[in-house]
Amino acid sequence: MSLLTVGSVAFDAIETPFGKTDKIIGGAGTYIAISASFFEKNQNIVAVVGDDFPQSMLDLLSKRNVDLTGLQIKQGEKSFFWSGKYHNDMNSRDTLITELNVLEHFDPIIPAAYQGVDYLMLGNLTPQVQKLVVERLETRPKLVAMDTMNFWMDIAMDDLKETLKVIDLLIVNDEEARQLSGENSLLKASKVIRNMGPKYLIIKKGEHGALLFHGDNIFSAPGLPLEEVFDPTGAGDTFAGGFMGYLSNTDDISFENMKRAVVAGSALASFCVEKFGTERLTEINQTDVENRIEQFIALADFEMTLQVG
Ligand code: AMP
């Protein structure tokens, strides 16, 4: 099948208790596309960068079968730049800088060849741009998934709610689910959010795994205990990429298959946090991913016979 990703392709500067980077490659779209490439070989991307973005990174995406026809390069402009600093627990972070640059006036032009795409992943971006992409697709994809963040809830909640009405699946973390719904209980939050539009919801809980909701069904995937979490940046996007790449490759949106996709996404995300930025994701191979998925399966596997009476 085919997967279209829309998202930031950017520079990041990150500070964690383990160290600090200068400008490195980041962006939600970058993480999603690299991660999805482990499962889906037919990928498209709609994004924008400035003329400061390195060709080597674009080549890396091409080599991973990401078609770059939809990636606009704006001459004389700068790429999106984000900088964040993690607290000691690595679960929370402060955004230090958000320079929208080319993203400020981003017009997500869909190349004609991308029409008819099977799966759509709307990475973290302005909610109006995310909605525009759905409207510009002439055929409704089999599944429209979307990520967002507290930044948009703070400054564009009304637009975000409009976008939620046109998507099938929302992927957020626990803090974002609580902010969006106004509910502390994630179960209550899941109901409030699904009443806003998306039939499916995934709530990521950082090192504690992820929850998938649809109708009355709930699935809980574990978080893989890791000795060291070096840099969580992009873990959420990497999860989304693995999830959507797996769904697109298997072309099955049943709840049972979505459970497998959640584990696929979790496995990729567990690699992402092991080094700064996208570094670890570009080192690993297919066998590493398969072995890690086996670890997830083993971690949650148990048998039990209920003794009744
Ligand atoms: P995550 O750690 O999964 O939340 O994703 C971090 C990535 O999101 C970084 O690589 C940033 O470049 C990107 N990012 C941060 N803020 C924004 C924003 N407002 N719009 C688009 N992308 C963003």
Side-chain angles (χ1 to χ4, degrees), residues 3-282:
L3 172 64
L4 169 59
T5 293
V6 185
S8 50
V9 173
F11 289 118
D12 291 344
I14 303 157
E15 198 175 330
T16 80
F18 298 101
K20 207 174 159 170
T21 69
D22 287 329
K23 275 193 176 181
I24 58 170
I25 301 297
T30 313
Y31 284 102
I32 293 167
I34 296 177
S35 178
S37 72
F38 286 94
F39 300 109
E40 179 56 71
K41 304 294 173 217
N42 186 2
Q43 274 202 80
N44 302 323
I45 192 163
V46 166
V48 62
V49 292
D51 61 8
D52 53 354
F53 202 75
Q55 184 61 39
S56 56
M57 192 59 196
L58 301 181
D59 294 343
L60 185 142
L61 290 173
S62 295
K63 256 192 237 146
R64 290 178 170 267
N65 300 304
V66 182
D67 179 280
L68 299 182
T69 316
L71 185 116
Q72 305 168 33
I73 302 175
K74 296 278 180 196
Q75 295 304 320
E77 293 188 44
K78 282 161 79 179
S79 302
F80 175 78
F81 174 62
W82 175 84
S83 169
K85 181 178 177 175
Y86 287 85
H87 300 167
N88 280 340
D89 66 359
M90 297 291 259
N91 282 324
S92 50
R93 72 181 178 204
D94 294 323
T95 289
L96 304 178
I97 305 170
T98 299
E99 285 176 13
L100 291 176
N101 298 328
V102 285
L103 273 191
E104 195 168 350
H105 302 291
F106 177 39
D107 181 16
I109 298 164
I110 317 281
Y114 290 7
Q115 293 294 347
V117 73
D118 298 296
Y119 291 85
L120 173 62
M121 178 65 220
L122 299 166
N124 180 22
L125 269 182
T126 324
Q128 292 118 305
V129 171
Q130 292 175 313
K131 186 159 170 268
L132 200 54
V133 171
V134 179
E135 289 165 356
R136 286 182 176 177
L137 289 179
E138 288 153 16
T139 318
R140 174 90 190 173
K142 295 180 185 181
L143 193 84
V144 176
M146 167 183 155
D147 182 19
T148 189
M149 73 188 298
N150 45 7
F151 181 75
W152 304 115
M153 294 176 203
D154 292 338
I155 67 163
M157 189 59 128
D158 289 345
D159 291 336
L160 179 59
K161 285 187 176 166
E162 286 306 307
T163 306
L164 287 174
K165 290 181 188 163
V166 302
I167 60 149
D168 303 306
L169 163 70
L170 179 69
I171 306 176
V172 282
N173 68 29
D174 41 5
E175 198 187 310
E176 291 156 352
R178 290 188 171 107
Q179 182 172 349
L180 182 58
S181 64
E183 292 287 351
N184 196 44
S185 148
L186 293 182
L187 188 57
K188 284 187 182 169
S190 79
K191 292 178 184 160
V192 173
I193 293 171
R194 283 180 294 152
N195 275 332
M196 294 175 172
K199 296 184 289 290
Y200 301 90
L201 173 69
I202 292 176
I203 301 180
K204 299 163 291 175
K205 299 185 293 161
E207 62 181 321
H208 305 297
L211 296 169
L212 166 69
F213 298 89
H214 177 242
D216 292 330
N217 295 319
I218 306 177
F219 172 65
S220 173
L224 189 70
L226 294 171
E227 287 200 2
E228 268 175 19
V229 173
F230 199 75
D231 168 23
T233 309
D237 309 310
T238 304
F239 172 93
F243 178 88
M244 288 302 281
Y246 185 87
L247 275 195
S248 176
N249 176 254
T250 51
D251 192 25
D252 172 358
I253 57 166
S254 67
F255 192 75
E256 281 309 303
N257 200 49
M258 280 200 188
K259 290 182 185 178
R260 293 187 275 271
V262 169
V263 172
S266 304
L268 262 312
S270 75
F271 282 114
C272 176
V273 302
E274 290 178 344
K275 288 197 175 170
F276 270 125
T278 54
E279 190 181 346
R280 188 73 179 119
L281 289 179
T282 55

